[in-house]
């Protein structure tokens, strides 16, 4: 089954939600991954959390969820484009146990890039013990409406998936919201994620009808390109790039998301800055 996210809402309750399945994307992210299992698991969880968060946005170019700390896990980042392209990567300290609960100065940042040169929006929350708890805390602190995330990632079977529900403004008993979050919180992953949502969701609130919207297709996609790497090298400046070239004989840049490698030989570097030096100034 190809990757997807799918929104739903209860017709008589102020609650919306979404689910996602990202096995192919997760498999692709782990293809060349050689880190410890806890980092592999976190990559799947942050991918699922990002795909679910995106279902709450009407219009954006990119949505980025990023955890960072001064401890063993330096960076964990996932990104989704409006077209449904997902990518993720992590940076960590070799030999140190990666445990979100013990990371010093750990933050989760959610960035919405609306595109068209409009201003980015960023929200921050202290990282909690899991990606899901961090997202829950983010909604509790920064949004008007509380939300609950259940995320699943298994590096062995390369399965990544998630559910999320959000309480919207409107009349709802606190106890009902409690029941709903409990429904998604308890039970093993298999019970929740192996069941078709058509069968699972009606069980959350027996007797209340739930509407499931058509799925949005998602897939792994990386926006890196030779042109972007060239722009990045130009931004570094001729002097620095030529220094590295002299030391290493070639400039080699590997994309941290997709592991694509871009090589710039001496002649490429000369061309890179020749274009810049020759460029006609228009003003
Ligand atoms: Zn890439």
């Amino acid at each position: 089954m190809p990757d997807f996210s799918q929104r739903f809402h209860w017709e008589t309750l102020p609650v919306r939600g979404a689910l996602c399945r990202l096995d192919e994307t997760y498999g692709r992210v782990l293809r060349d991954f050689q880190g410890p299992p806890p980092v592999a698991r976190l990559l799947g969880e942050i991918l699922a959390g990002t795909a679910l968060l995106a279902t709450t946005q009407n219009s954006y170019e990119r949505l980025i969820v990023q955890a960072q700390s001064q401890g063993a896990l330096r960076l964990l980042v996932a990104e989704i484009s409006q077209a449904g392209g997902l990518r993720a990567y992590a940076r960590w300290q070799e030999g140190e146990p990666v445990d979100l609960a013990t990371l010093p100065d750990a933050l989760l940042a959610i960035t919405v890039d609306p595109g068209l040169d409009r201003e980015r929006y960023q929200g921050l929350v202290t990282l909690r013990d899991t990606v899901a708890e961090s997202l829950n805390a983010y909604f509790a602190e920064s949004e008007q409406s509380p939300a609950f995330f259940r995320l699943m990632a298994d590096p062995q079977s390369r399965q990544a998936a998630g559910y999320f529900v959000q309480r919207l403004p409107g009349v709802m008993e606190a106890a009902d919201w409690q029941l709903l979050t409990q429904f998604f919180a308890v039970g093993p992953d298999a019970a929740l994620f192996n069941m078709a949502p058509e069968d699972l969701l009606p069980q959350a609130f027996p007797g209340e009808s739930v509407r499931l919207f058509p799925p949005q297709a998602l897939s792994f996609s990386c926006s890196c390109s030779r042109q972007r790497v060239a722009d990045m090298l130009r931004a570094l400046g001729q002097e620095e790039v030529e220094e590295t070239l002299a030391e290493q004989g070639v400039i080699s840049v590997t994309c941290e998301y997709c592991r694509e490698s871009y090589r710039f030989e001496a002649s490429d570097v000369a061309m890179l800055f020749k274009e810049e030096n020759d460029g006609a100034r228009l003003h």
Side-chain angles (χ1 to χ4, degrees):
M1 187 169 39
D3 293 348
F4 68 93
S5 66
Q6 192 166 16
R7 295 183 300 118
F8 53 82
H9 78 72
W10 275 271
E11 296 188 317
T12 49
L13 296 164
V15 177
R16 69 172 172 183
L19 68 134
C20 69
R21 289 293 317 209
L22 301 174
D23 301 354
E24 279 183 17
T25 301
Y26 187 38
R28 175 61 183 79
V29 167
L30 291 188
R31 199 174 72 190
D32 303 311
F33 179 81
Q34 289 177 340
V39 177
R41 185 177 301 274
L42 287 169
L43 279 166
E45 291 178 359
I46 201 162
L47 275 166
T50 302
L52 294 174
L53 257 182
T55 67
T56 67
Q57 300 291 320
N58 289 325
S59 161
Y60 62 96
E61 191 169 285
R62 296 182 311 148
L63 187 152
I64 304 146
V65 181
Q66 180 173 323
Q68 59 194 63
S69 86
Q70 297 299 316
L73 184 73
R74 288 301 158 100
L75 185 64
L76 175 72
V77 56
E79 191 183 304
I80 187 168
S81 67
Q82 176 99 58
L86 276 158
R87 58 181 192 167
Y89 82 92
R91 249 185 252 146
W92 64 93
Q93 290 286 103
E94 292 291 350
E96 286 180 42
V98 170
D99 176 4
L100 295 197
T102 60
L103 293 176
D105 302 324
L107 285 174
L108 184 85
I110 292 166
T111 308
V112 181
D113 178 357
L116 300 170
D117 291 330
R118 284 172 293 176
E119 207 173 324
R120 285 176 165 211
Y121 164 81
Q122 188 173 64
L124 285 172
V125 68
T126 305
L127 200 64
R128 306 303 209 269
D129 294 359
T130 66
V131 174
E133 283 174 37
S134 306
L135 289 169
N136 295 346
Y138 172 79
F139 274 87
E141 290 174 19
S142 6
E143 305 267 329
Q144 299 296 321
S145 315
F148 184 83
F149 286 77
R150 171 78 184 260
L151 306 175
M152 182 273 272
D154 181 359
Q156 288 278 310
S157 63
R158 310 227 153 163
Q159 286 181 296
Y163 267 101
F164 125 96
V165 284
Q166 183 180 20
R167 184 177 166 175
L168 301 169
V171 179
M172 186 181 187
E173 299 284 334
D176 282 343
W177 173 247
Q178 194 82 32
L179 272 178
L180 186 65
T181 56
Q182 278 302 306
F183 177 83
F184 289 102
V186 300
D189 286 341
L192 212 57
F193 295 107
N194 290 351
M195 194 184 270
E198 294 83 351
D199 299 326
L200 180 86
L201 292 172
Q203 294 181 18
F205 269 116
E208 303 283 357
S209 74
V210 55
R211 182 182 290 264
L212 195 58
F213 294 94
Q216 188 200 355
L218 304 175
S219 61
F220 180 86
S221 166
C222 192
S223 52
C224 70
S225 66
R226 191 172 174 81
Q227 184 62 46
R228 286 197 175 183
V229 176
D231 290 345
M232 189 263 291
L233 292 174
R234 276 195 204 97
L236 280 177
Q238 189 161 5
E239 202 173 318
E240 190 169 340
V241 172
E242 285 179 347
E243 223 168 82
T244 312
L245 185 68
E247 278 167 21
Q248 301 176 359
V250 65
I251 306 274
S252 178
V253 178
T254 302
C255 174
E256 288 178 284
Y257 287 97
C258 70
R259 314 303 301 163
E260 177 78 38
S261 194
Y262 298 94
R263 285 170 63 86
F264 290 78
E265 312 274 348
S267 56
D268 299 322
V269 171
M271 192 64 83
L272 209 61
F273 292 102
K274 182 178 187 308
E275 282 166 23
E276 189 164 79
N277 296 338
D278 288 355
R281 193 153 274 163
L282 294 174
H283 55 88

PDB file of all heavy atoms in Angstrom, residues 87 222-225 255-260 262, ligand 1:
ATOM      1  N   ARG A  87      10.773  13.994   3.875  1.00  0.00           N
ATOM      2  CA  ARG A  87      12.163  13.581   4.060  1.00  0.00           C
ATOM      3  C   ARG A  87      12.532  13.807   5.521  1.00  0.00           C
ATOM      4  O   ARG A  87      11.863  14.574   6.229  1.00  0.00           O
ATOM      5  CB  ARG A  87      13.108  14.346   3.120  1.00  0.00           C
ATOM      6  CG  ARG A  87      13.057  15.850   3.290  1.00  0.00           C
ATOM      7  CD  ARG A  87      14.011  16.545   2.317  1.00  0.00           C
ATOM      8  NE  ARG A  87      14.173  17.945   2.647  1.00  0.00           N
ATOM      9  CZ  ARG A  87      15.113  18.729   2.134  1.00  0.00           C
ATOM     10  NH1 ARG A  87      15.980  18.246   1.258  1.00  0.00           N
ATOM     11  NH2 ARG A  87      15.204  19.996   2.493  1.00  0.00           N
ATOM     12  N   CYS A 222      13.123  14.409  -1.984  1.00  0.00           N
ATOM     13  CA  CYS A 222      14.138  15.343  -1.495  1.00  0.00           C
ATOM     14  C   CYS A 222      14.272  16.485  -2.485  1.00  0.00           C
ATOM     15  O   CYS A 222      14.290  16.276  -3.692  1.00  0.00           O
ATOM     16  CB  CYS A 222      15.480  14.638  -1.315  1.00  0.00           C
ATOM     17  SG  CYS A 222      16.642  15.666  -0.401  1.00  0.00           S
ATOM     18  N   SER A 223      14.357  17.695  -1.940  1.00  0.00           N
ATOM     19  CA  SER A 223      14.396  18.872  -2.806  1.00  0.00           C
ATOM     20  C   SER A 223      15.823  19.303  -3.136  1.00  0.00           C
ATOM     21  O   SER A 223      16.035  20.376  -3.691  1.00  0.00           O
ATOM     22  CB  SER A 223      13.626  20.016  -2.141  1.00  0.00           C
ATOM     23  OG  SER A 223      14.099  20.197  -0.822  1.00  0.00           O
ATOM     24  N   CYS A 224      16.810  18.470  -2.789  1.00  0.00           N
ATOM     25  CA  CYS A 224      18.184  18.877  -3.097  1.00  0.00           C
ATOM     26  C   CYS A 224      18.430  18.791  -4.610  1.00  0.00           C
ATOM     27  O   CYS A 224      17.726  18.076  -5.320  1.00  0.00           O
ATOM     28  CB  CYS A 224      19.191  18.010  -2.347  1.00  0.00           C
ATOM     29  SG  CYS A 224      19.299  16.305  -2.922  1.00  0.00           S
ATOM     30  N   SER A 225      19.394  19.546  -5.089  1.00  0.00           N
ATOM     31  CA  SER A 225      19.744  19.506  -6.512  1.00  0.00           C
ATOM     32  C   SER A 225      21.165  20.055  -6.672  1.00  0.00           C
ATOM     33  O   SER A 225      21.683  20.726  -5.770  1.00  0.00           O
ATOM     34  CB  SER A 225      18.772  20.362  -7.328  1.00  0.00           C
ATOM     35  OG  SER A 225      18.935  21.725  -6.980  1.00  0.00           O
ATOM     36  N   CYS A 255      24.030  15.119   0.421  1.00  0.00           N
ATOM     37  CA  CYS A 255      22.774  15.561   1.025  1.00  0.00           C
ATOM     38  C   CYS A 255      22.478  14.692   2.246  1.00  0.00           C
ATOM     39  O   CYS A 255      22.489  13.470   2.161  1.00  0.00           O
ATOM     40  CB  CYS A 255      21.633  15.456   0.019  1.00  0.00           C
ATOM     41  SG  CYS A 255      20.021  15.824   0.745  1.00  0.00           S
ATOM     42  N   GLU A 256      22.216  15.331   3.375  1.00  0.00           N
ATOM     43  CA  GLU A 256      21.990  14.565   4.601  1.00  0.00           C
ATOM     44  C   GLU A 256      20.645  13.846   4.585  1.00  0.00           C
ATOM     45  O   GLU A 256      20.443  12.889   5.309  1.00  0.00           O
ATOM     46  CB  GLU A 256      22.077  15.485   5.817  1.00  0.00           C
ATOM     47  CG  GLU A 256      23.506  15.927   6.091  1.00  0.00           C
ATOM     48  CD  GLU A 256      23.597  16.887   7.257  1.00  0.00           C
ATOM     49  OE1 GLU A 256      23.248  18.070   7.066  1.00  0.00           O
ATOM     50  OE2 GLU A 256      24.024  16.465   8.339  1.00  0.00           O
ATOM     51  N   TYR A 257      19.731  14.303   3.765  1.00  0.00           N
ATOM     52  CA  TYR A 257      18.407  13.676   3.710  1.00  0.00           C
ATOM     53  C   TYR A 257      18.411  12.424   2.823  1.00  0.00           C
ATOM     54  O   TYR A 257      17.929  11.376   3.220  1.00  0.00           O
ATOM     55  CB  TYR A 257      17.376  14.655   3.151  1.00  0.00           C
ATOM     56  CG  TYR A 257      16.979  15.766   4.089  1.00  0.00           C
ATOM     57  CD1 TYR A 257      17.567  17.016   4.003  1.00  0.00           C
ATOM     58  CD2 TYR A 257      15.982  15.563   5.044  1.00  0.00           C
ATOM     59  CE1 TYR A 257      17.179  18.046   4.852  1.00  0.00           C
ATOM     60  CE2 TYR A 257      15.587  16.585   5.892  1.00  0.00           C
ATOM     61  CZ  TYR A 257      16.190  17.826   5.794  1.00  0.00           C
ATOM     62  OH  TYR A 257      15.813  18.837   6.621  1.00  0.00           O
ATOM     63  N   CYS A 258      18.920  12.563   1.590  1.00  0.00           N
ATOM     64  CA  CYS A 258      18.775  11.451   0.641  1.00  0.00           C
ATOM     65  C   CYS A 258      20.100  10.777   0.312  1.00  0.00           C
ATOM     66  O   CYS A 258      20.124   9.811  -0.433  1.00  0.00           O
ATOM     67  CB  CYS A 258      18.093  11.939  -0.638  1.00  0.00           C
ATOM     68  SG  CYS A 258      19.127  13.034  -1.635  1.00  0.00           S
ATOM     69  N   ARG A 259      21.206  11.265   0.850  1.00  0.00           N
ATOM     70  CA  ARG A 259      22.559  10.722   0.647  1.00  0.00           C
ATOM     71  C   ARG A 259      23.064  10.892  -0.784  1.00  0.00           C
ATOM     72  O   ARG A 259      24.053  10.285  -1.183  1.00  0.00           O
ATOM     73  CB  ARG A 259      22.657   9.237   1.040  1.00  0.00           C
ATOM     74  CG  ARG A 259      22.025   8.858   2.360  1.00  0.00           C
ATOM     75  CD  ARG A 259      22.555   9.626   3.527  1.00  0.00           C
ATOM     76  NE  ARG A 259      24.000   9.494   3.734  1.00  0.00           N
ATOM     77  CZ  ARG A 259      24.724  10.320   4.487  1.00  0.00           C
ATOM     78  NH1 ARG A 259      24.164  11.326   5.084  1.00  0.00           N
ATOM     79  NH2 ARG A 259      25.999  10.141   4.634  1.00  0.00           N
ATOM     80  N   GLU A 260      22.376  11.671  -1.583  1.00  0.00           N
ATOM     81  CA  GLU A 260      22.863  11.970  -2.935  1.00  0.00           C
ATOM     82  C   GLU A 260      24.162  12.771  -2.796  1.00  0.00           C
ATOM     83  O   GLU A 260      24.261  13.656  -1.951  1.00  0.00           O
ATOM     84  CB  GLU A 260      21.810  12.792  -3.686  1.00  0.00           C
ATOM     85  CG  GLU A 260      22.197  13.243  -5.073  1.00  0.00           C
ATOM     86  CD  GLU A 260      22.092  12.135  -6.115  1.00  0.00           C
ATOM     87  OE1 GLU A 260      21.159  11.335  -6.041  1.00  0.00           O
ATOM     88  OE2 GLU A 260      22.972  12.108  -7.005  1.00  0.00           O
ATOM     89  N   TYR A 262      27.117  15.195  -4.494  1.00  0.00           N
ATOM     90  CA  TYR A 262      27.380  16.152  -5.575  1.00  0.00           C
ATOM     91  C   TYR A 262      28.872  16.490  -5.574  1.00  0.00           C
ATOM     92  O   TYR A 262      29.398  16.940  -4.566  1.00  0.00           O
ATOM     93  CB  TYR A 262      26.542  17.426  -5.375  1.00  0.00           C
ATOM     94  CG  TYR A 262      25.059  17.171  -5.406  1.00  0.00           C
ATOM     95  CD1 TYR A 262      24.354  16.943  -4.229  1.00  0.00           C
ATOM     96  CD2 TYR A 262      24.361  17.138  -6.609  1.00  0.00           C
ATOM     97  CE1 TYR A 262      22.986  16.687  -4.255  1.00  0.00           C
ATOM     98  CE2 TYR A 262      22.992  16.888  -6.641  1.00  0.00           C
ATOM     99  CZ  TYR A 262      22.315  16.671  -5.466  1.00  0.00           C
ATOM    100  OH  TYR A 262      20.964  16.428  -5.486  1.00  0.00           O
TER     101      TYR A 262
HETATM  102 ZN1  LIG B   1      18.689  15.211  -1.016  1.00  0.00          ZN
END
